[in-house]
Amino acid sequence: MSSEGTWTTGDIPDQRGRVAIVTGANTGLGYHTAAALAQAGAHVVLAVRNLEKGNLALARIVAANPGADVTLQELDLSSLDSVRAAAAALRETYARVDLLINNAGVMWTPKQLTADGFEMQFGTNHLGHFALTGLLLGNLLPVRGSRVVTVSSNGHRLRAAIHFDDLQWEHSYDRYAAYGQSKLANLLFTYELQRRLAQHDQNTIAVAAHPGASSTELGRSVPGWAKPLFTVAGAVFFQGAAMGALPTLRAATDPDVVGAQYYGPDGLGEMRGHPKLVSSSAQSHDEALQQRLWAVSEELTGVTYPV
């Protein structure tokens, strides 16, 4: 293994015989995560909303690595019907799942609702992944070394709270605070899931990662007035999506990872750099908050967990 500061895709252990499901794998962080896992020999399922873009991503991965074993699964995290259909298809096709990487997400969207009436960022980033994980967990639990990796963000610290009195932002809407809520929810979910897994068995762990400041399509919902600033900041401070995917890949494959860890870049402000173990906000470790969010998430999605 490399030294702590220089972990790269070259440090990914052999993934042959492993099945990895990556949400939002047609572009950005998800694409680079899927490509690296395929390169290491995993059978990778690109779980994507847009099958046309998914097919292009699959073709790119295979062109770069003709031996790659990659398939597509349609999945729209903003629709619980789609999540249920995708989970049913995946459960049937893959008796065992080694890695579930909850990567897909939206950021700073204008006020929108999911098919089920949830605020778009909370519904997609948290509730969609909560439902998907719960529906697939039975296929991970028997598999030694299996992991659920959920991608959060530095945004979990920024104006972030779980607004239980108005989870769907019906009374007023703040796109930045709504994003912060969804990314805080990703960590609360990871830590509560790990607590439950640890009580159940030792096969499966839940971990989290964040990409720092990475150039991806996530910025497509940046308000018009901020786009020039975002572009300039991106050129100076942001790293490429391939680097941004490294914390997720380390969380997913490093043999030394343990449950409830959080990985992010090692540079100034965790904005860029190679992946290392990082810490999350005190709020994300609030067990009462974790359990309250879990109960609400089960109620909203109708998905209960086998742990």
Side-chain angles (χ1 to χ4, degrees), residues 20 72 94 186:
L72 274 189
Y94 304 102
N186 288 153

Side-chain angles (χ1 to χ4, degrees), residues 110-290:
K111 179 69 187 286
Q112 288 171 278
L113 298 180
T114 69
D116 304 283
F118 306 134
E119 184 276 317
M120 184 62 75
Q121 298 182 86
F122 186 68
T124 302
N125 298 355
H126 169 60
L127 292 174
H129 280 128
F130 179 91
L132 181 69
T133 305
L135 293 166
L136 290 177
L137 199 59
N139 292 47
L140 286 131
L141 289 174
V143 182
R144 195 156 193 76
S146 58
R147 298 180 188 184
V148 176
V149 182
T150 300
V151 180
S152 184
S153 159
N154 275 330
H156 88 275
R157 300 177 185 277
L158 305 173
R159 299 167 63 188
I162 306 297
H163 299 268
F164 288 107
D165 55 342
D166 188 15
L167 275 177
Q168 313 309 338
W169 300 84
E170 291 165 288
H171 301 305
S172 65
Y173 181 65
D174 179 328
R175 65 171 84 197
Y176 309 107
Y179 180 67
Q181 171 175 268
S182 74
K183 292 287 107 179
L184 173 60
N186 288 153
L187 287 166
L188 293 166
F189 161 68
T190 297
Y191 299 148
E192 176 63 12
L193 176 57
Q194 175 56 32
R195 191 182 66 78
R196 288 162 175 257
L197 289 168
Q199 291 172 344
H200 180 272
D201 70 14
Q202 303 304 317
N203 279 343
T204 310
I205 60 170
V207 290
H210 81 85
S214 300
S215 300
T216 70
E217 286 187 15
L218 256 191
R220 59 184 170 262
S221 296
V222 172
W225 64 266
K227 277 200 160 71
L229 289 170
F230 206 75
T231 305
V232 171
V236 177
F237 298 113
F238 289 13
Q239 61 185 0
M243 279 296 288
L246 288 181
T248 301
L249 286 162
R250 185 166 190 178
T253 65
D254 186 332
D256 296 329
V257 169
V258 299
Q261 286 186 328
Y262 184 39
Y263 285 82
D266 63 2
L268 183 65
E270 295 172 23
M271 297 272 278
R272 56 195 297 161
H274 290 270
K276 70 165 187 175
L277 195 55
V278 296
S279 59
S280 60
S281 68
Q283 193 177 196
S284 70
H285 291 284
D286 181 330
E287 287 189 16
L289 201 56
Q290 292 164 12

